[in-house]
């Protein structure tokens, strides 16, 4: 994992391997490799000594490497364990195993969900994730379609999107609604029960749409 999320991009850049086919939509100019390159003397600097830049580059890369290693040890691996346990207990949430509940909010889950679905050979992909935020309110968020995309597997219903608070509660028929993002990828409710009901309604709409199209 440390190689895939730290070393691989440096190797690829050093070897001239493009990140994707076609013209990128925007330039990435603040990568670690780019920051190291900027430590070299400018072409027209009177002093072309690279030793000072090399020392700064070593400190920069070494610091980031150790920070990343510490993150995977103290945060990433514990999060994976929490997500795996939640997946194994997913049928305790009354949504036929389509919704994952993470009682410990703030846990990074997207990458783990996508990886564990394959590792555990889940028969059906997860659709939504429930978790509390720092204020004690609850969120319902769609699982993304991939690790590097903003597309959602199951966005919340279109009529809810961009609506807030009491107007949303009345529209959805669910007390305690707080918001639904304009893209539908996430919504909020003041309680777990309310967020769970938002998830149920979203799943029900998908089922109705599938029945009608069939």
């Amino acid at each position: 994992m440390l190689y895939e999320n730290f070393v691989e991009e440096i190797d690829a850049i050093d070897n001239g391997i493009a990140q994707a086919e076609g013209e990128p939509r925007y330039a990435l100019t603040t990568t670690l490799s780019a920051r190291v390159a900027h430590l070299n003397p400018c072409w027209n600097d009177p002093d072309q000594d690279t030793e000072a830049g090399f020392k700064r580059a070593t400190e920069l890369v070494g610091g980031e490497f150790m920070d990343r290693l510490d993150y995977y040890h103290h945060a990433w691996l514990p999060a994976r364990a929490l997500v795996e346990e939640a997946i194994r207990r997913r049928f305790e949430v009354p949504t036929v195993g389509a919704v994952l509940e993470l009682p410990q909010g703030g846990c990074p889950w997207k990458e783990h969900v996508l990886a564990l679905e394959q590792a555990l050979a889940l028969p059906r992909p997860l659709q939504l994730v429930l978790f509390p935020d720092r204020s004690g309110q609850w969120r319902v968020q769609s699982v993304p379609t991939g690790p590097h995309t903003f597309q959602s597997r199951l966005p919340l219903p279109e009529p809810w999107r961009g609506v807030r608070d009491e107007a949303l509660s009345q529209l959805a028929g669910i007390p305690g609604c707080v918001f639904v993002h304009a893209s539908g990828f996430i919504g909020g409710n003041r309680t777990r029960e309310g967020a769970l009901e938002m998830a149920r309604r979203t799943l029900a709409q998908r089922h109705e749409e599938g029945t009608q199209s069939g």
Side-chain angles (χ1 to χ4, degrees):
M1 182 52 61
L2 189 59
Y3 176 80
E4 293 176 357
N5 289 283
F6 187 86
V7 179
E8 186 175 33
E9 69 177 71
I10 299 173
D11 280 346
I13 291 171
D14 284 347
N15 289 283
I17 301 173
Q19 187 177 15
E21 295 182 1
E23 189 70 20
R25 293 183 178 177
Y26 52 87
L28 295 176
T29 62
T30 58
T31 64
L32 180 59
S33 295
R35 297 199 304 278
V36 168
H38 291 156
L39 297 176
N40 288 316
C42 295
W43 70 272
N44 55 353
D45 282 345
D47 184 2
Q48 288 293 310
D49 182 12
T50 60
E51 190 64 29
F54 179 78
K55 182 179 179 181
R56 291 174 60 195
T58 301
E59 294 172 351
L60 173 65
V61 174
E64 290 207 16
F65 179 86
M66 294 306 298
D67 286 346
R68 192 69 62 88
L69 183 63
D70 182 75
Y71 165 76
Y72 283 119
H73 176 66
H74 290 104
W76 189 88
L77 286 173
R80 183 181 176 90
L82 289 174
V83 172
E84 184 170 357
E85 176 64 16
I87 288 176
R88 296 189 186 280
R89 300 180 62 176
R90 66 192 183 280
F91 287 102
E92 296 178 14
V93 183
T95 50
V96 296
V99 176
L100 191 71
E101 182 176 348
L102 293 170
Q104 187 169 341
C107 166
W109 54 265
K110 296 177 186 177
E111 180 182 4
H112 295 307
V113 165
L114 297 173
L116 287 167
E117 283 180 334
Q118 297 185 19
L120 301 175
L122 298 191
R124 290 182 297 178
L126 294 160
Q127 301 296 316
L128 299 165
V129 176
L130 287 178
F131 57 92
D133 64 15
R134 293 182 179 179
S135 69
Q137 297 182 346
W138 281 74
R139 299 286 183 259
V140 52
Q141 184 170 347
S142 174
V143 177
T145 58
H148 305 296
T149 179
F150 293 105
Q151 292 184 330
S152 299
R153 286 181 179 174
L154 182 58
L156 276 67
E158 188 171 357
W160 299 358
R161 300 175 196 173
V163 187
R164 299 187 61 89
D165 301 322
E166 186 58 31
L168 177 58
S169 294
Q170 293 184 4
L171 177 63
I174 303 172
C177 289
V178 178
F179 77 99
V180 170
H181 190 273
S183 68
F185 87 98
I186 191 171
N189 195 285
R190 287 194 290 272
T191 68
R192 174 190 177 276
E193 292 73 19
L196 178 58
E197 186 59 27
M198 293 172 75
R200 286 172 173 159
R201 301 281 183 87
T202 302
L203 289 167
Q205 177 177 286
R206 167 65 64 85
H207 178 72
E208 291 174 2
E209 291 174 351
T211 302
Q212 293 173 1
S213 63

